[in-house]
């Protein structure tokens, strides 16, 4: 199958492994969530789907999965940044019966040929029954 470039400039095999790190094929993992065919069932699942959206350049999904009180009006991704790997370090609450949760993670990327890492402890909440990203905890 032919690979197509993503907005980040990285080749992405549409039937290949999902960028979120589960090992499942993208079309069956984060693909349905990105296409609006399924909701993330937990805060961690939303975090994984958002990382994948950064990796494939899906700004529409990123904005849709952002809480209305903290969502930017527009989102422009850096075309020179390629998201390569996600590590979930910790998840608290954010389950099927919770209304809030947090996920600590490290997101790895390459930019200008050099590796980089973004570490964040993110807060998630439900808005209209759906998990959404709220913000990052300080420090």
């Amino acid at each position: 199958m032919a690979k197509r470039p993503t907005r980040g400039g990285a080749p992405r095999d549409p039937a290949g492994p999902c960028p979120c790190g589960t090992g499942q094929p993208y079309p069956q993992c984060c693909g349905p969530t990105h296409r609006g065919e399924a909701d993330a069932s937990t805060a961690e699942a939303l975090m994984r789907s958002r990382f994948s959206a950064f990796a494939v350049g899906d700004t529409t999904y990123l904005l849709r999965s952002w809480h209305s009180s903290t969502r930017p009006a527009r989102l422009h991704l850096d075309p020179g940044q390629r998201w390569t790997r996600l590590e979930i370090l910790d998840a608290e609450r954010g389950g099927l019966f919770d209304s809030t949760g947090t996920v600590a993670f490290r997101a790895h990327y390459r930019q200008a040929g050099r590796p980089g890492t973004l570490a964040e402890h993110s807060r998630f909440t439900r808005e209209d029954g759906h998990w959404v990203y709220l913000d990052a905890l300080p420090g």
Side-chain angles (χ1 to χ4, degrees), residues 29-111:
C29 190
C30 290
T33 310
H34 291 174
R35 293 187 303 269
E37 299 167 1
D39 284 332
S41 58
T42 65
E44 181 178 333
L46 182 68
M47 177 63 241
R48 289 183 180 280
S49 71
R50 285 178 56 82
F51 175 83
S52 291
F54 275 102
V56 301
D58 190 343
T59 56
T60 300
Y61 176 76
L62 288 166
L63 290 169
R64 188 173 71 236
S65 63
W66 211 311
H67 194 274
S68 61
S69 69
T70 57
R71 177 181 351 169
R74 287 187 268 299
L75 183 62
H76 300 285
L77 302 180
D78 182 345
Q81 191 172 45
R82 187 176 141 235
W83 295 96
T84 59
R85 184 168 58 95
L86 176 66
E87 290 178 82
I88 301 294
L89 305 174
D90 189 35
E92 294 181 24
R93 300 189 48 118
L96 295 173
F97 302 108
D98 295 317
S99 59
T100 63
T102 64
V103 178
F105 67 92
R106 270 194 296 260
H108 300 269
Y109 62 89
R110 292 195 68 79
Q111 189 163 20

Side-chain angles (χ1 to χ4, degrees), residues 115-134:
T117 304
L118 168 72
E120 185 175 301
H121 195 171
S122 298
R123 290 193 311 159
F124 297 88
T125 190
R126 290 188 189 263
E127 185 172 53
D128 298 326
H130 306 282
W131 282 110
V132 290
Y133 170 76
L134 182 59

Side-chain angles (χ1 to χ4, degrees), residues 9-31:
R12 168 73 47 214
D13 180 347
C18 192
C20 79
T22 62
Q24 297 178 34
Y26 172 76
Q28 287 79 43
C29 190
C30 290

